[in-house]
Structure formats: structure tokens, C-alpha cells
Amino acid sequence: MKRQAYQPILITDASRSQDDQLTSRQKRYVLMMGIRVACLVLGAVLVGVKAPLLWLWLPLCALGMVLIPWLAVLLANDRPPKEQHRLAGKFQPRHLDETPPMALAAEERPHKVIDAEP
């Protein structure tokens, strides 16, 4: 039976927990929806004060109110890419070290050789 070499998992290589991922997605969603509300309020204020260049600002606010919710839902439902699908891994593949296992079985332990000659 072939033994696999023990590969310790570095904390920097560990993926984020599900709770951390959910929290960051929720924060991003709330931030984006806050920007949407700001676009709505800004559009209403611009119409109320009859701002100059209203023909430019009003479509920009409307575009923000339409696109931001769509993007917010897409990003909130997205998860981080898997390690093998990351673009950086395509250009710099990881090399697995052929290191010996951390714990050796009794028959695999090196034996101390006692030299009879000084």
C-alpha cells in the first residue's frame, strides 16, 4: 500500500469560512442597495430643484437604479472561485512537495548505525 506524504495545510491556503463569506456578501449587498437608494434620492432632488444638465443626470440616476439591484443580487449569490479555477493558478501552477511524512511507521524509522571503529 502506497502512503501519501503528509501535506500540512497552511492557514494562508485555507478558504474562508461559510459564515465569513455570507457576512461579506450581505455587507456588499446592503452597500449596493444603499447606493441605489442614494440614486433615487438624488434623482428626486435633481428634478425638484430643476438642476442644470438634468437631461444628463436623470438617466445616470435611472441607470444606477436599474443596474445596481441586478448586480447586487448576482454578487450576493456568488461564491468565491474554487482554487483550481482561479486564474492565478493557471499561470503559476502549484508544485506539491514530495516531502516525507511527518510521522514514520516503526519499520520506516531510521536506525542509528553504531560504528565500531573510532
Side-chain angles (χ1 to χ4, degrees):
M1 176 165 43
K2 183 179 178 182
R3 286 183 59 159
Q4 292 181 345
Y6 172 73
Q7 294 290 331
I9 297 175
L10 299 175
I11 191 66
T12 56
D13 290 341
S15 61
R16 293 175 50 201
S17 71
Q18 295 290 333
D19 290 335
D20 288 342
Q21 291 178 20
L22 179 64
T23 302
S24 68
R25 290 194 321 255
Q26 287 173 338
K27 288 178 183 176
R28 189 179 329 137
Y29 180 81
V30 168
L31 176 71
M32 292 179 81
M33 295 312 276
I35 293 171
R36 179 188 185 208
V37 169
C39 286
L40 178 67
V41 170
L42 181 65
V45 169
L46 289 174
V47 169
V49 297
K50 296 182 182 160
L53 298 175
L54 187 62
W55 58 269
L56 174 69
W57 295 114
L58 204 54
L60 287 176
C61 288
L63 189 66
M65 288 186 296
V66 171
L67 289 181
I68 288 176
W70 177 70
L71 289 172
V73 169
L74 284 179
L75 292 175
N77 290 326
D78 194 19
R79 62 167 176 73
K82 292 184 179 178
E83 186 66 32
Q84 65 264 22
H85 296 293
R86 290 189 183 179
L87 188 59
K90 301 289 182 187
F91 296 117
Q92 298 173 354
R94 298 180 120 189
H95 299 290
L96 295 177
D97 294 336
E98 295 299 327
T99 57
M102 296 297 287
L104 299 174
E107 61 272 1
E108 295 176 336
R109 290 193 181 137
H111 298 285
K112 187 174 183 180
V113 177
I114 301 173
D115 218 2
E117 296 178 27

